[in-house]
Amino acid sequence: MTNTDSHLRIKAYEEVEKHKEIVNQDPYRLHYHIMPPVGLLNDPNGFIHYKGKYHLFYQWMPFKTGHGAKFWGHVSTEDFVHWTEEEIALTPSEWYEKNGCYSGSAIEHNGKMYVFYTGNVKDEKGNRETYQCLAVSEDGVYFEKLGPVVTLPQEYTPHFRDPKVWEQDDTFYMVVGAQTLEKKGAVALLSSKNLTDWKYEGDLAGGGKGSLSDFGYMFECPDFFPLGEKDILIISPQGLCADGMKYRNVYQSGYVIGKFDRKNKTYEHGQFEELDRGFDFYAPQTTEDDQGRRLLFAWMSVPDQNEQDHPTVDYRWLHNMTIPRELMLVGEKLYQVPVKELEELRNGGYYSQEMTLNNEITEIEGINGKAIELKMKDILLQQGWFEMSIHGAARMVFSNGVFTLERKSYVDGTVENRQCLLDRLHSLHIYIDTSSIEIFINEGEEVFTTRFYPSKSEPSITFGASKTCSFTIEKWDLKKVF
């Protein structure tokens, strides 16, 4: 550990202690979502199941609620309910990362954890250099930095970042989010036999090829993995224009499905689909655990989207992760469901009822609370609309094949919405946590994720229908674990 590294760690921990009291006074502090102890959190990094524990690293700026020279924060768990705050994993202490240890991934090899990340460097004029770097750990907590292992291929601008590494058929592969010299988004592919010497193989996707050939000006946070008989590429493209109900956020996150030809290093794939239809979802990262599950975390926000208007800024913290989700391939679509371990968050307060609404809006006795799980199944709506309002600050509506999520903007209080098409609505699985909502529709066919900031005086949840709507509803109170 260098003197610079030690100094940065001490300063970060001092910042946590200095502001711990005011952070914990925030009524919008979440109960069961990963948050920064102070400052700003963004992309999930290095998500891995290693030596019996799930490790999640994250982009962290401890000194302010804005962006800057990022650290890697680190939490671990065995069950996705009880979490341990680990030592800071990476600090921006070396010349090749002095403006931030940016996003990356982790892989196990010979019992060690190898983390790959982007070292960000800027000069006085704001010109950028990026280096794909490696650090190695014997225990998943303390890391030795080995420095840059990938130089920037001449085909790309310095917007070249977020390496994701995996092993397949005795070869290691890396995908990196990139921008071509023609300012088109791309995913670069590299290969290696030893994790330190990397060969550039060309574009895996985008950059003038296939359905992603002219699809925004930058692809961030690529993730590539097999699922069933297919190979999935997840990307976060920047520069897409809104198209009806699609691409309504500043930047998007989604996936394509195809088949990777390892011999020729090519990938034929279909059309881009968004992973989440809500307001706040970006930079997802996955891992496979020892049960063979493909699991996902994402940042519950979007870059460059009115960040300093969040009311949590007054309490010196900003942003959080989604709950962990399992991915499943159903036909040609990715489904997402909450991991089963989250059932252990249930803390009493159970309520169940069969309900029929007839041209009314009403509360249901026992269905309330600020940190709860709701399940609605066997929803039958033959005509008209169904709605659900949460704490007077968010509202879901299903009408004429369109599902809409509305919320009151935390910027100016106006009502804004996100939407998707559904053939029918038969179930809802909803996690509410003081200032976040995650909605899983039809066993994960569609997902909406959002932050929201309800008034303290509006704790009610109401249900309504313009004609007749019947369903069974279950509710649980959820533990506070953070």
Side-chain angles (χ1 to χ4, degrees):
M1 184 182 298
T2 65
N3 289 337
T4 302
D5 182 271
S6 179
H7 173 74
L8 287 170
R9 289 172 184 271
I10 291 170
K11 295 293 289 183
Y13 289 131
E14 287 177 347
E15 199 73 8
V16 172
E17 287 300 314
K18 179 180 177 182
H19 299 294
K20 180 166 58 178
E21 185 174 345
I22 188 171
V23 168
N24 291 331
Q25 289 174 356
D26 187 359
Y28 293 126
R29 196 79 169 150
L30 297 155
H31 285 206
Y32 54 89
H33 286 80
I34 295 167
M35 304 168 287
V38 69
L40 178 144
L41 167 152
N42 60 301
D43 304 0
N45 295 159
F47 184 27
I48 188 173
H49 194 213
Y50 174 75
K51 294 186 177 180
K53 287 185 178 182
Y54 298 92
H55 294 260
L56 184 70
F57 305 85
Y58 58 87
Q59 291 285 279
W60 182 36
M61 166 44 66
F63 306 119
K64 59 182 179 178
T65 55
H67 296 274
K70 302 291 179 60
F71 292 57
W72 272 34
H74 182 193
V75 291
S76 68
T77 183
E78 295 181 4
D79 58 9
F80 292 118
V81 174
H82 304 92
W83 290 87
T84 299
E85 187 81 31
E86 302 285 4
E87 294 286 329
I88 294 169
L90 300 174
T91 70
S93 59
E94 305 297 331
W95 66 265
Y96 49 80
E97 59 187 10
K98 69 183 184 70
N99 294 107
C101 299
Y102 275 22
S103 292
S105 60
I107 186 172
E108 181 176 358
H109 180 57
N110 291 335
K112 299 179 182 180
M113 186 190 297
Y114 288 67
V115 300
F116 293 84
Y117 65 99
T118 298
N120 186 47
V121 177
K122 293 181 180 179
D123 65 19
E124 295 79 5
K125 296 180 180 179
N127 297 312
R128 183 191 300 270
E129 296 177 3
T130 52
Y131 303 90
Q132 311 317 307
C133 306
L134 171 62
V136 181
S137 174
E138 300 274 357
D139 59 6
V141 177
Y142 299 99
F143 289 87
E144 177 187 0
K145 293 178 182 177
L146 302 185
V149 293
V150 174
T151 57
L152 177 69
Q154 63 182 6
E155 288 83 355
Y156 305 106
T157 75
H159 289 281
F160 187 78
R161 53 185 175 269
D162 313 332
K164 179 65 187 285
V165 176
W166 75 98
E167 184 178 12
Q168 197 168 356
D169 297 336
D170 299 321
T171 299
F172 297 102
Y173 294 96
M174 175 191 292
V175 285
V176 183
Q179 180 185 70
T180 69
L181 298 178
E182 295 75 30
K183 304 298 175 66
K184 292 184 178 183
V187 175
L189 177 67
L190 300 97
S191 65
S192 174
K193 290 296 185 181
N194 59 11
L195 290 172
T196 55
D197 300 303
W198 290 90
K199 176 186 176 184
Y200 171 61
E201 302 285 1
D203 288 332
L204 182 72
K209 296 191 299 184
S211 62
L212 301 178
S213 62
D214 192 14
F215 201 69
Y217 58 77
M218 173 67 195
F219 292 171
E220 291 198 306
C221 303
D223 196 344
F224 195 64
F225 54 89
L227 195 59
E229 299 299 316
K230 300 294 180 69
D231 296 302
I232 313 297
L233 173 64
I234 290 177
I235 54 171
S236 294
Q238 298 181 333
L240 302 185
C241 296
D243 180 10
M245 297 179 189
K246 299 190 298 184
Y247 317 148
R248 298 278 302 281
N249 292 328
V250 177
Y251 306 128
Q252 324 307 319
S253 293
Y255 65 94
V256 295
I257 299 174
K259 199 66 180 175
F260 179 43
D261 182 338
R262 293 183 295 279
K263 179 179 179 181
N264 296 307
K265 309 296 190 295
T266 59
Y267 178 56
E268 299 295 330
H269 59 80
Q271 298 295 314
F272 179 84
E273 293 288 339
E274 289 178 274
L275 269 167
D276 193 290
R277 307 292 184 174
F279 295 90
D280 297 291
F281 183 95
Y282 196 73
Q285 187 171 108
T286 76
T287 195
E288 184 179 55
D289 70 0
D290 62 357
Q291 302 174 49
R293 299 182 298 177
R294 179 58 57 172
L295 306 179
L296 175 148
F297 273 100
W299 174 30
M300 199 184 288
S301 189
V302 177
D304 304 332
Q305 189 164 278
N306 304 311
E307 289 185 316
Q308 297 310 307
D309 290 309
H310 283 268
T312 66
V313 168
D314 293 338
Y315 293 86
R316 302 193 69 87
W317 74 279
L318 185 59
H319 301 319
N320 58 279
M321 295 297 173
T322 64
I323 58 173
R325 307 169 181 186
E326 181 179 358
L327 293 180
M328 295 172 289
L329 187 60
V330 180
E332 291 295 311
K333 187 173 180 63
L334 278 184
Y335 278 47
Q336 300 174 66
V337 295
V339 297
K340 186 172 177 57
E341 289 93 328
L342 294 183
E343 293 178 2
E344 296 302 314
L345 282 172
R346 295 171 181 172
N347 191 35
Y350 177 71
Y351 191 89
S352 176
Q353 182 173 331
E354 294 183 1
M355 189 73 187
T356 299
L357 303 172
N358 290 293
N359 189 25
E360 61 181 317
I361 296 176
T362 185
E363 295 184 46
I364 301 175
E365 183 180 356
I367 307 299
N368 51 42
K370 293 193 173 183
I372 63 173
E373 176 188 357
L374 294 176
K375 277 191 172 183
M376 298 174 64
K377 56 187 179 181
D378 301 323
I379 299 172
L380 182 60
L381 176 71
Q382 294 182 339
Q383 298 181 46
W385 50 259
F386 164 79
E387 73 159 33
M388 177 181 172
S389 179
I390 301 174
H391 303 159
R395 178 173 174 259
M396 290 167 269
V397 183
F398 180 66
S399 177
N400 295 320
V402 177
F403 187 94
T404 301
L405 172 64
E406 299 176 346
R407 74 172 178 188
K408 288 184 178 179
S409 168
Y410 54 83
V411 178
D412 58 15
T414 59
V415 175
E416 50 189 353
N417 70 50
R418 296 291 183 268
Q419 297 177 302
C420 75
L421 296 174
L422 294 176
D423 290 335
R424 62 184 290 254
L425 175 66
H426 59 77
S427 71
L428 291 168
H429 192 179
I430 304 169
Y431 281 79
I432 301 170
D433 189 0
T434 67
S435 60
S436 75
I437 305 171
E438 289 161 274
I439 307 161
F440 300 84
I441 302 170
N442 297 344
E443 282 77 51
E445 174 187 354
E446 298 286 358
V447 186
F448 284 72
T449 298
T450 190
R451 297 297 302 276
F452 80 134
Y453 298 102
S455 165
K456 298 176 186 177
S457 62
E458 286 280 357
S460 65
I461 299 175
T462 63
F463 301 81
S466 61
K467 294 187 181 296
T468 301
C469 181
S470 62
F471 52 86
T472 300
I473 187 167
E474 295 180 287
K475 168 255 179 176
W476 296 264
D477 291 335
L478 299 182
K479 299 174 185 175
K480 182 175 174 59
V481 297
F482 287 103

